[in-house]
Amino acid sequence: MSAPAVATAADQALVPGTVITDSEVDPRGPWSQVVAAGDVLTIVDLYGNQAVDTLFYGVTAGGTVDPAARYSAQATISAQGNVFLTTGSVIRDQESNPLMTIVADEVGNHDTLGGACSQESNTLRYGHHTKHQHACVENFLIEGARHGLGKRDMVGNVNFFMNVPVDPDGALGIVDGLSAPGKRLALRAEVDTLVLISNCPQINNPCNGFDPTAVRVIVTRPEAG
């Protein structure tokens, strides 16, 4: 697969401002950062059709991650009356407090139901020969440990750029993505928020086009005004 044209972080960020962070997340790799209140995180699907599994945690006034203020799919879905995320969707914690808001989105549909792959679920769904394969749950545990998070702090996650249609009978499917190379979305932090990403390693279903690729993460601080 050919590399995408390289743009500056300032040009690729969906919300302009001072660039705080510009990182490329390796295929199958994790990433995390506390995004300060008011800052904007842009996630760039560099090659297209790459699922970005994401968790969110509030941060205390003292700067430590608060596992109790963790992302809640139930609160997020209930507040907006829709299982899919796009511009205007508010990411909420389990007390329904806002953590982040999607302020721009070039895809228009992101999943809240599909969850994260794990070695156990891979074995159940695809066979024992997949047991050795690295998965999102392992990424979350490895990266979360850097912030004092453990297995009991893991919850259902958001899957950015992942296409999980819901059939009339309630059945879910994981199908080809709606994204394309260079597509982006941007989230504004309403409070200081730890963003924990697993750049999904899955190769047994089409969520990554059977070929995990890198994504870019850019944090900008908009001009006050």
Side-chain angles (χ1 to χ4, degrees), residues 4 6 10 34 43-44 50 80 84 86 132 149 180 184 197 206 212 225:
V6 177
V34 174
I43 305 175
V44 187
Q50 173 61 41
Q80 71 168 14
F84 301 112
T86 188
H132 71 283
L149 300 172
R184 304 166 292 174
I197 282 175

Side-chain angles (χ1 to χ4, degrees), residues 160-184:
F160 291 120
F161 305 118
M162 184 166 153
N163 188 17
V164 182
V166 181
D167 293 337
D169 64 358
L172 305 179
I174 299 175
V175 299
D176 289 339
L178 302 173
S179 187
K183 293 290 187 182
R184 304 166 292 174

Side-chain angles (χ1 to χ4, degrees), residues 134-215:
H134 192 61
C136 284
V137 168
E138 285 69 47
N139 272 342
F140 283 146
L141 290 171
I142 291 168
E143 191 70 11
R146 297 179 55 235
H147 305 277
L149 300 172
K151 199 164 190 176
R152 68 178 182 179
D153 304 312
M154 298 294 107
V155 292
N157 57 283
V158 172
N159 292 306
F160 291 120
F161 305 118
M162 184 166 153
N163 188 17
V164 182
V166 181
D167 293 337
D169 64 358
L172 305 179
I174 299 175
V175 299
D176 289 339
L178 302 173
S179 187
K183 293 290 187 182
R184 304 166 292 174
L185 81 153
L187 302 105
R188 181 186 64 231
E190 305 302 340
V191 295
D192 292 354
T193 302
L194 172 67
V195 180
L196 183 59
I197 282 175
S198 169
N199 196 22
C200 184
Q202 183 61 260
I203 59 173
N204 301 293
N205 69 48
C207 71
N208 301 316
F210 302 97
D211 182 21
T213 53
V215 297

Side-chain angles (χ1 to χ4, degrees), residues 33-35 37 55-72 91-95 97-100 147 149 153 155 189-196:
Q33 182 172 314
V34 174
V35 180
L55 288 170
F56 307 86
Y57 299 84
V59 177
T60 68
T64 59
V65 175
D66 181 4
R70 56 186 178 264
Y71 164 71
S72 168
I91 305 297
R92 298 178 182 274
D93 70 14
Q94 59 184 6
E95 299 298 327
N97 297 311
L99 294 171
M100 303 188 85
H147 305 277
L149 300 172
D153 304 312
V155 292
E190 305 302 340
V191 295
D192 292 354
T193 302
L194 172 67
V195 180
L196 183 59

